[in-house]
Amino acid sequence: MQARGQATAKFDPQAIAPALLDWYDAHARKLPWRRLPGEARQDPYRVWLSEVMLQQTTVAAVGPYFEKFTRLWPTVGDLAAADDGDVMAAWAGLGYYARARNLLACARAVAAMGGTFPDSEDGLRALPGLGEYTAAAVAAIAFGRRAVVVDANVERVIARLFAIDEPLPAGKAAIRLAAGQVTPEERAGDFAQAMMDLGATVCTARSPRCMLCPLREHCRALAEGAPERLPVKAARKAKPVRQGRAYWIEREGRVLLVRRPGRGMLGGMRALPDDGWSARGDGADAIGGEWRGGGVVRHGFTHFDLELQLMLCVQAEAASLPGLNDIEGEWWPVDEIEAAGLPTVFAKAARLAIAERIG
DNA sequence: CAGTCGTGGCT
DNA sequence: TAGCCAAGACT
């Protein structure tokens, strides 16, 4: 069964960290939130901010947002003092908006503690938006703590190294145990980042580049011949398609925008009025006036696909629209719609509306 | 445990 | 193309 001639005899958990750290010293990705050459340790604020942004989000997507946030709010105290709407608008397009709400709550909690982040895993874990992963990551990367950092990259690398084929999420316990066995006492932060670099560039989900892997001699899954098979994951449920309507109500070059409730789908974000496709309604569907269809926006969310029918009401005067006064909103200049901070689904709808109202 | 919660890129 | 996937947290 040793089709590729890899020696399982070399399987040695103690050899993994040194080999990986050597590889990291030579191949670490240079990322904006990593310490600069000569810096002993990374700024906890920047580590925390990047880790929250990177939750379920790619490095490429995070880059511009990290630059924007650190430019607008260089310290956790600056962020704590920021206006909620400004922060939500700055987050627009990055997704999972509960992260932005928790980000502000966390910044304010830290500010209330004197502006200094807790330096222990337990202390960090108690902050809003920091779960098991993020608390461990910040503790290790920013504070040099020996913490076992397990994200999807680490799960994949460990599942392959140890040939753990118990399906996730049930297999997380075994993976975490194994991760603890290979996490070094020193340089735990570098080790965590090395595991994630390896997972992102070499030990990838689809077609792992095992020929380039510094741990190939230590990998049971490779020795068994099919590393891409791991980790095993439970099948996903099919996504339903939901229908909805959004309303573009414009007069004198301004469009009516609303603020969505503070929790739930797109919570806290600026938006177009809609008919309740996301379990809410703002009354716009009851407005009388001259409406015309403006095309359909298709947008995929995590657990459903949306077909959003855009409705346009451009030339009517506000006073002539029965029911409009029932909506709490703001008239936003259409020319500056990019600055409104709309989530992507509504940004798509706005682009379509602007194209439609011209043609 | 299982559902909720975005988005863009890759295969 | 359609599905899969990503530095998860929260309820």
Side-chain angles (χ1 to χ4, degrees), chain A residues 152 155-156 159 164-173 175 231-235:
Chain A
E155 283 180 358
R156 185 170 57 255
I164 296 170
D165 57 7
E166 182 183 7
L168 299 179
K172 286 174 181 281
I175 289 174
V232 180
K233 296 189 178 182

Side-chain angles (χ1 to χ4, degrees), chain A residues 44-52 76 79 103 106-107 117 130 138:
Chain A
Y45 170 62
R46 295 166 62 89
V47 173
W48 161 72
L49 179 62
S50 67
E51 287 299 339
V52 173
V76 67
L79 183 58
L103 190 80
C106 180
F117 279 86
L130 281 85
V138 175

Side-chain angles (χ1 to χ4, degrees), chain A residues 214-229:
Chain A
L215 304 180
R216 62 185 176 282
E217 294 183 355
H218 308 288
C219 185
R220 283 188 169 166
L222 178 59
E224 293 172 4
E228 70 282 355
R229 180 177 71 83

Side-chain angles (χ1 to χ4, degrees), chain A residues 12 42 48 78 98 132 186 192 230 284 312 318 353:
Chain A
D12 174 10
Q42 303 180 39
W48 161 72
D78 296 325
E132 200 170 344
E186 305 295 326
L230 299 174
L312 301 172

